[in-house]
Amino acid sequence: MIGDPEIDFPDLASQHWLNCAHQGPLPACARAVAEEAVRWKAQPWELTSARFAGVPARLKAAIGRLIGAAPEEVILANGASYGLHLLANGIPWQAGDEVLAMEGDFPTDILPWTGLEPRGVTLRLLAPRGRVLDAGEIAAAIGPRTRLLCLTFVHSFSGWAIDLAAIGAVCRERGVLFVVNASQALGARPFDVGSAPVDAVVSVGWKWLCGPYATGFCWMRPELLGQLTYNQNYWLSVLSAEDLGREVLDLITPRGDPGARRYDIFATANFFNFVPWTAAIEFLLERGIEAVAAHDQRLVQRLIDGLDGDRYRLLSPRAGPQRSTLVFIAPHERAQTRAIADALAGARVHVAVRAGALRLAPHLYNTEADIDAALAVLNDHSAGGEGEQRP
């Protein structure tokens, strides 16, 4: 067990929330500071300059610890799409350049590149032989004009994780930028940009990082950051509130090169969202991402081991490095999927239906009792209707 769920996530006491891949619940400590941030706005004299400046600084420090990056390299965002659009619109493309992505990936990882067609940049979607692309498929697909590859770390529609190291090595060898959406991985498995062969990482904050909605970040290697040609000069990224108090105002001369801070989402002192998200990340870091990952995988194993194989087919990996915390199962009678989902909901077991299958996604706040509650419904022959049991 990681901590005490009854204390850390008291609102889940009467529910079995196995849908973290959609929304991670806010920890109690994050809820408390969110209420404090509301007080700052209700009593605006409490929103001091130190607090105003400290909101983005503390969040960047927490994200930096999470991914092994310097805080000044972190770009604050409102989701994964922000960073991908920053790259799509900021990389100095040339006519004839090509972007590779995976057919059937989450739309977030595909749509930003579609708008580059008027600039002569081609998006090519690769159909994987299995659930996700492997390094061999990537190597075979890279051509002389391939400039960038964008993939999700953990596939939202199958639960399969890509071989990050092998694919990254191919991209490095071939001089192709490797951009990764880690939204379904960060918080549930360790990740270090110092050792991962990636050029940019984007992520939302409201899934496995248990933050509020409309949170996220982007990180990119300094060499890539330096190539961007994107017109964004948000005043709070290049100046400070103190600059407004100077007797002689010079409000168009930045205080040196802001670096990655130049590309932060506007309104970086977003205390309603960023204060509780910082607390949520620090909460995870205090418990240790490796310990959280081990806990989550024990729950995944208990779910897989307890599943009635005569009634269900496991679609996500049974074991190995490609297994994530997203477990996909399908009844042999696929028409019963919705009925089973309804039966689970009736028992206060919350899962998702994705790509015609049931997706269960446990995280650190879940216990063995949550998994057993799900299995009790899943393995109940009355839950999915008559005639479902196979001979």
Side-chain angles (χ1 to χ4, degrees):
M1 182 179 295
I2 300 294
D4 187 342
E6 293 185 0
I7 295 176
D8 298 330
F9 296 90
D11 294 305
L12 302 182
S14 62
Q15 307 292 323
H16 307 286
W17 185 254
L18 295 172
N19 197 9
C20 193
H22 167 52
Q23 293 285 336
L26 203 64
C29 62
R31 178 174 178 170
V33 297
E35 293 170 351
E36 172 69 8
V38 170
R39 187 178 68 83
W40 295 351
K41 185 63 175 175
Q43 303 171 3
W45 55 89
E46 294 289 348
L47 189 56
T48 62
S49 295
R51 283 173 172 165
F52 200 80
V55 168
R58 184 173 171 183
L59 176 55
K60 289 190 177 196
I63 295 172
R65 288 173 57 200
L66 179 73
I67 65 172
E72 60 269 18
E73 294 177 347
V74 175
I75 298 171
L76 299 181
N78 57 358
S81 293
Y82 178 85
L84 294 179
H85 280 85
L86 181 62
L87 290 162
N89 296 325
I91 291 175
W93 303 98
Q94 297 180 6
D97 284 347
E98 178 184 67
V99 174
L100 300 180
M102 188 181 81
E103 184 178 294
D105 208 341
F106 200 81
T108 295
D109 305 314
I110 297 173
L111 292 175
W113 319 107
T114 61
L116 296 174
E117 184 177 355
R119 300 172 64 177
V121 178
T122 301
L123 170 65
R124 182 154 57 101
L125 298 180
L126 307 179
R129 289 189 295 262
R131 295 287 182 173
V132 293
L133 292 166
D134 61 33
E137 292 171 288
I138 298 298
I142 291 176
R145 298 308 301 268
T146 303
R147 184 82 178 274
L148 181 145
L149 169 69
C150 179
L151 293 176
T152 189
F153 191 175
V154 173
H155 187 216
S156 292
F157 298 138
S158 72
W160 285 70
I162 62 172
D163 188 337
L164 203 69
I167 293 175
V170 168
C171 290
R172 289 281 170 87
E173 181 183 345
R174 304 289 288 275
V176 173
L177 296 171
F178 186 24
V179 178
V180 174
N181 184 345
S183 296
Q184 294 288 19
L186 283 180
R189 61 170 63 196
F191 187 85
D192 190 313
V193 297
S195 57
V198 299
D199 296 289
V201 177
V202 300
S203 177
V204 304
W206 61 83
K207 297 182 186 291
W208 306 92
L209 295 176
C210 294
Y213 187 70
T215 53
F217 77 91
C218 173
W219 173 90
M220 61 186 77
R221 295 199 178 279
E223 300 84 0
L224 175 55
L225 179 71
Q227 296 177 24
L228 296 189
T229 56
Y230 188 75
N231 179 28
Q232 180 164 308
N233 279 298
Y234 173 51
W235 76 272
L236 204 51
S237 294
V238 296
L239 298 167
S240 72
E242 283 71 22
D243 291 322
L244 304 182
R246 294 178 182 175
E247 184 175 353
V248 178
L249 295 180
D250 179 4
L251 302 181
I252 62 171
T253 303
R255 298 166 298 154
D257 182 5
R261 190 174 69 247
R262 175 188 301 276
Y263 300 112
D264 284 341
I265 190 76
F266 301 150
T268 49
N270 180 1
F271 37 90
F272 285 170
N273 273 357
F274 285 173
V275 167
W277 189 30
T278 301
I281 295 174
E282 291 173 345
F283 171 84
L284 287 164
L285 290 170
E286 288 170 4
R287 279 138 189 82
I289 299 300
E290 291 190 358
V292 171
H295 169 83
D296 289 0
Q297 286 301 318
R298 284 193 293 271
L299 296 181
V300 168
Q301 191 64 54
R302 186 179 186 89
L303 175 60
I304 292 174
D305 289 344
L307 197 65
D308 184 349
D310 289 333
R311 302 185 67 220
Y312 296 96
R313 185 160 59 101
L314 179 66
L315 304 179
S316 50
R318 184 169 296 277
Q322 288 188 302
R323 190 173 85 175
S324 70
T325 42
L326 281 66
V327 180
F328 278 78
I329 62 174
H332 292 302
E333 295 290 340
R334 294 295 287 265
Q336 297 298 329
T337 300
R338 286 288 178 183
I340 296 171
D342 290 342
L344 287 162
R348 297 174 300 177
V349 179
H350 303 276
V351 305
V353 176
R354 294 291 185 272
L358 298 167
R359 185 184 71 186
L360 294 84
H363 199 18
L364 79 160
Y365 49 80
N366 288 121
T367 65
E368 293 180 351
D370 293 316
I371 301 301
D372 293 345
L375 289 171
V377 177
L378 290 169
N379 294 339
D380 179 359
H381 290 278
S382 66
E386 297 296 329
E388 182 170 308
Q389 186 176 8
R390 286 163 58 112

